[in-house]
Amino acid sequence: MAFFKRKVQFNDDLGFGSSPVLKNQRVLNTDGSPNIERIGLPWFKFDDTYTRLVTMSWPKFFLVILITYLIVNTFFAVAYNVIGIENLDGAKGTTLRDQFFDAFFFSAQTISTVGYGHISPQGFITSILAAFESMLGLLAFALATGLLYGRFSRPTSKVMFSKKMVIAPYQNHSGLMCRLVNLRKNSLIDVEAQMYMTFNETVDGKLKRSFYPLELERSKISMLSLNWTLVHPINEDSPIFEKTLTELSQADVEIFVILTAFDDTFAQTIHTRTSYQDEDIEWNAKFKIMHYHNEEGKMVMDYSLFDRTEKVMIG
């Protein structure tokens, strides 16, 4: 027997399979990424290099660029020393350390095509190596420029979801609510939201993961200019009608929120999502209003109130 009431049969598993959740693990992380550990893949795949460099965090990206820069210059510095430091006219180092750094900084000037002129290559082999490094530098900086452009031009969402969901009075019953807001000053149009609930239930004697859509009071708005509170009415048609927090916890309930919108800055459709578990639901609470009119009558949004809630009594 199904633990949650179903108004209609819903067979779509949203791509997460039907394996039950164990030890209260999330199916979807709060940042929208699947909570899946992937093993058996090679540590490095050359054809995935661009994807990794474009999607990794900015600190990690700059760290990769810095490490690559140091490794390449170290390699060429060693190569110049192997050929003979005397082939670098203007290198004045007398110790191995000083000679290495003379070659290292000459390599840095060559690969960036700066060429201060303090040190210059002498001899055919050294000149060939310097010419090769200069060509490599042109290609590397062109690639780095393309990566930077790709990272900046990639459409990303700055939609923030509330840390918690609340169950507050709604019409004659109550409603399951979460709040979202656009952190950018650009406009998001044709914004559409979907809410799904996933839970463990026993079907034909087997424990499986089931998915069920939660109907929203309003699933689409024309423009996201203020905050938007998504409301799932908890009425007789809701699968969580008259359910308690203990019952939700026993079923390892998780709720997905999926948002789609058209970003007029990038002129592309963006997608974002998050998830909430039963411990992320605050009962008998509502979100504080975060927008008001100032003395001039202009609408003001106070983002410091975004996650603020206040207790209410549900009749």
Side-chain angles (χ1 to χ4, degrees), residues 24-310:
N24 203 30
Q25 286 287 327
R26 287 183 179 272
V27 176
L28 193 71
N29 295 317
T30 54
D31 62 358
S33 61
N35 187 23
I36 299 173
E37 181 180 356
R38 293 176 171 86
I39 62 174
L41 293 173
W43 178 78
F44 176 78
K45 293 177 65 177
F46 182 79
D47 55 349
D48 285 342
T49 303
Y50 176 79
T51 302
R52 288 191 177 186
L53 289 173
V54 169
T55 57
M56 68 175 51
S57 65
W58 280 105
K60 188 178 292 185
F61 174 76
F62 284 118
L63 182 62
V64 169
I65 295 297
L66 177 62
I67 291 175
T68 303
Y69 180 78
L70 293 176
I71 290 175
V72 171
N73 281 300
T74 299
F75 170 80
F76 279 102
V78 172
Y80 288 125
N81 275 277
V82 169
I83 294 174
I85 196 64
E86 65 276 3
N87 291 307
L88 292 180
D89 188 26
K92 300 179 180 179
T94 56
T95 65
L96 288 177
R97 188 195 67 176
D98 292 340
Q99 291 174 355
F100 170 80
F101 280 111
D102 281 342
F104 181 89
F105 291 124
F106 169 73
S107 172
Q109 297 168 22
T110 302
I111 201 169
S112 62
T113 67
V114 172
Y116 292 121
H118 176 64
I119 302 176
S120 59
Q122 300 294 324
F124 181 75
I125 297 179
T126 308
S127 298
I128 287 291
L129 183 61
F132 174 75
E133 184 180 8
S134 179
M135 181 189 69
L136 182 65
L138 291 172
L139 295 176
F141 281 99
L143 179 62
T145 302
L147 287 172
L148 283 171
Y149 174 77
R151 292 179 64 88
F152 276 109
S153 62
R154 186 168 63 97
T156 55
S157 167
K158 282 297 181 181
V159 173
M160 181 170 65
F161 294 92
S162 57
K163 294 179 181 179
K164 288 184 175 292
M165 303 189 87
V166 298
I167 292 183
Y170 177 75
Q171 295 181 354
N172 296 325
H173 297 282
S174 59
L176 177 67
M177 309 176 187
C178 73
R179 187 154 69 175
L180 58 92
V181 70
N182 183 21
L183 296 180
R184 290 189 174 130
K185 294 182 179 181
N186 64 332
S187 296
L188 297 181
I189 59 178
D190 291 334
V191 188
E192 185 173 3
Q194 296 174 301
M195 189 178 292
Y196 296 91
M197 181 180 68
T198 175
F199 53 90
N200 289 341
E201 68 173 345
T202 302
V203 179
D204 297 329
K206 294 183 179 180
L207 188 65
K208 63 170 290 188
R209 195 70 174 169
S210 297
F211 297 82
Y212 189 84
L214 299 181
E215 295 183 6
L216 295 175
E217 166 215 23
R218 181 181 292 107
S219 62
K220 190 173 182 178
I221 57 176
S222 298
M223 179 179 294
L224 181 60
S225 55
L226 300 173
N227 62 282
W228 184 18
T229 301
L230 303 178
V231 181
H232 164 64
I234 305 178
N235 51 32
E236 291 82 357
D237 296 327
S238 172
I240 59 175
F241 181 64
E242 294 183 339
K243 296 298 180 183
T244 65
L245 180 60
T246 301
E247 290 174 314
L248 297 181
S249 179
Q250 289 174 347
D252 289 317
V253 165
E254 185 173 347
I255 297 172
F256 303 153
V257 179
I258 303 173
L259 192 77
T260 305
F262 184 81
D263 190 318
D264 66 344
T265 301
F266 294 103
Q268 293 188 40
T269 300
I270 60 171
H271 305 269
T272 186
R273 54 206 169 271
T274 191
S275 75
Y276 300 91
Q277 291 182 300
D278 56 271
E279 69 240 22
D280 300 322
I281 301 176
E282 188 174 349
W283 293 69
N284 300 333
K286 68 176 183 179
F287 291 112
K288 287 188 175 181
I289 298 175
M290 60 179 294
H291 54 81
Y292 57 90
H293 290 90
N294 61 13
E295 296 178 354
E296 290 77 25
K298 188 174 183 179
M299 183 69 72
V300 178
M301 286 277 289
D302 188 352
Y303 288 86
S304 65
L305 300 175
F306 179 68
D307 283 308
R308 300 282 185 87
T309 60
E310 55 186 358

